[in-house]
Amino acid sequence: LRFPKEAEKHLVREIENRGMNRSRLILTDKFASDEHLRVKRAASMLLDTLDYNAHVSGLDALWAGLPLITLAGRNMARRCGASFLRTSGLPELLARTQEDYVKIATKLARDPPTLQSIRSRAEYEQLNGRLFDTQAWVREFETMLHLMWEVAAATESSARRHIVMSGFSKWKKPV
């Protein structure tokens, strides 16, 4: 998306200072969702921001088959991209350090066959993976709510409970 004019000038300057072709930076106005996804597909990859991860933009990128490169931070706003990548079976795009982030992006930019392989996997995951499987998500959410109710009903204490649901997609719904 377009930035304020002053920010656009800085982006162009940084791209040119790094020896990149200015034509690789494409800034657009807002448009309809289907057009938004079509434009995303034209990109090579989405480089997630470090301070505040892509949320819906990251999901849109993965839905469009676009690799998302991210670095998990310490709070929820910095961990969304990591969650998306783990759930979609693309954990190799999750950097552990800023140096790792640069290495992943550089490798994909310089290795078109690897980039295409990851894009193909992202496209496959769109229809077959867990990230966009709404029915499975609803079943698992219902299971979690049932479990929370059972735990609350079984204890007289008003103390807060923390329930970890790791791997719960294999669980049966409580009766």
Side-chain angles (χ1 to χ4, degrees):
L1 289 174
R2 290 206 175 279
F3 290 90
K5 287 292 180 194
E6 192 59 34
E8 286 185 28
K9 292 178 198 174
H10 293 297
L11 286 170
V12 169
R13 184 187 68 232
E14 290 301 316
I15 283 176
E16 290 172 348
N17 285 347
R18 286 168 171 69
M20 294 172 63
N21 187 329
R22 161 63 178 97
S23 67
R24 295 190 67 188
L25 177 64
I26 301 170
L27 300 170
T28 64
D29 294 317
K30 280 186 148 182
F31 33 72
S33 181
D34 59 336
E35 182 71 6
H36 171 72
L37 293 174
R38 188 185 69 72
V39 168
K40 271 208 179 357
R41 284 185 192 99
S44 299
M45 66 188 86
L46 176 65
L47 300 176
D48 204 354
T49 56
L50 303 183
D51 287 332
Y52 190 86
N53 281 176
H55 291 88
V56 173
S57 294
L59 290 171
D60 285 350
L62 292 168
W63 181 258
L66 186 66
L68 168 68
I69 316 301
T70 193
L71 172 67
R74 294 182 187 264
N75 60 36
M76 192 283 290
R78 293 179 170 183
R79 301 193 64 76
C80 288
S83 177
F84 301 158
L85 291 175
R86 286 187 182 114
T87 303
S88 63
L90 297 166
E92 69 271 25
L93 301 179
L94 173 56
R96 305 292 184 231
T97 65
Q98 288 186 14
E99 294 78 21
D100 194 26
Y101 178 93
V102 171
K103 284 179 188 174
I104 293 168
T106 303
K107 176 179 176 23
L108 291 181
R110 293 180 177 162
D111 186 354
T114 299
L115 178 62
Q116 184 54 50
S117 172
I118 289 173
R119 286 187 77 121
S120 295
R121 286 179 41 221
E123 290 167 359
Y124 175 84
E125 288 295 322
Q126 173 196 29
L127 299 175
N128 302 291
R130 293 188 31 79
L131 186 60
F132 299 108
D133 187 346
T134 306
Q135 291 178 348
W137 185 89
V138 169
R139 283 190 309 272
E140 292 168 359
F141 187 68
E142 288 172 343
T143 299
M144 180 185 66
L145 291 175
H146 282 281
L147 181 60
M148 289 168 55
W149 177 257
E150 289 176 3
V151 168
T155 60
E156 294 181 26
S157 169
S158 62
R160 291 183 180 204
R161 302 283 183 236
H162 184 80
I163 300 172
V164 178
M165 301 290 289
S166 179
F168 67 96
S169 63
K170 297 175 185 77
W171 294 1
K172 299 285 186 212
K173 180 178 175 181
V175 193

Short mmCIF file of all heavy atoms in Angstrom, two decimals, residues 165-171:
data_model
loop_
_atom_site.label_atom_id
_atom_site.label_comp_id
_atom_site.label_asym_id
_atom_site.label_seq_id
_atom_site.Cartn_x
_atom_site.Cartn_y
_atom_site.Cartn_z
N MET A 165 -3.63 -26.69 25.14
CA MET A 165 -4.34 -27.56 24.21
C MET A 165 -3.41 -28.07 23.11
O MET A 165 -3.83 -28.31 22.00
CB MET A 165 -5.51 -26.81 23.59
CG MET A 165 -6.53 -26.29 24.58
SD MET A 165 -7.49 -27.58 25.35
CE MET A 165 -8.50 -28.09 23.99
N SER A 166 -2.15 -28.21 23.39
CA SER A 166 -1.18 -28.65 22.38
C SER A 166 -1.56 -30.00 21.81
O SER A 166 -1.77 -30.96 22.53
CB SER A 166 0.21 -28.72 23.02
OG SER A 166 1.15 -29.17 22.08
N GLY A 167 -1.67 -30.06 20.50
CA GLY A 167 -1.99 -31.32 19.84
C GLY A 167 -3.42 -31.75 20.00
O GLY A 167 -3.76 -32.89 19.74
N PHE A 168 -4.30 -30.83 20.40
CA PHE A 168 -5.66 -31.23 20.71
C PHE A 168 -6.50 -31.57 19.50
O PHE A 168 -7.60 -32.06 19.64
CB PHE A 168 -6.36 -30.20 21.58
CG PHE A 168 -6.63 -28.88 20.91
CD1 PHE A 168 -7.86 -28.62 20.34
CD2 PHE A 168 -5.66 -27.91 20.89
CE1 PHE A 168 -8.12 -27.40 19.76
CE2 PHE A 168 -5.91 -26.70 20.30
CZ PHE A 168 -7.13 -26.44 19.73
N SER A 169 -5.99 -31.37 18.30
CA SER A 169 -6.80 -31.71 17.12
C SER A 169 -7.06 -33.21 17.03
O SER A 169 -7.96 -33.65 16.34
CB SER A 169 -6.10 -31.22 15.85
OG SER A 169 -4.88 -31.89 15.69
N LYS A 170 -6.28 -33.99 17.76
CA LYS A 170 -6.46 -35.45 17.73
C LYS A 170 -7.45 -35.92 18.80
O LYS A 170 -7.80 -37.05 18.86
CB LYS A 170 -5.10 -36.12 17.94
CG LYS A 170 -4.10 -35.80 16.84
CD LYS A 170 -2.75 -36.40 17.18
CE LYS A 170 -1.72 -36.00 16.18
NZ LYS A 170 -1.25 -34.64 16.33
N TRP A 171 -7.86 -34.99 19.69
CA TRP A 171 -8.75 -35.36 20.77
C TRP A 171 -10.16 -35.55 20.27
O TRP A 171 -10.59 -34.96 19.29
CB TRP A 171 -8.77 -34.27 21.84
CG TRP A 171 -7.48 -34.10 22.56
CD1 TRP A 171 -6.33 -34.77 22.36
CD2 TRP A 171 -7.23 -33.15 23.58
NE1 TRP A 171 -5.36 -34.30 23.20
CE2 TRP A 171 -5.89 -33.31 23.96
CE3 TRP A 171 -8.00 -32.20 24.21
CZ2 TRP A 171 -5.32 -32.55 24.96
CZ3 TRP A 171 -7.42 -31.44 25.21
CH2 TRP A 171 -6.09 -31.63 25.58
#
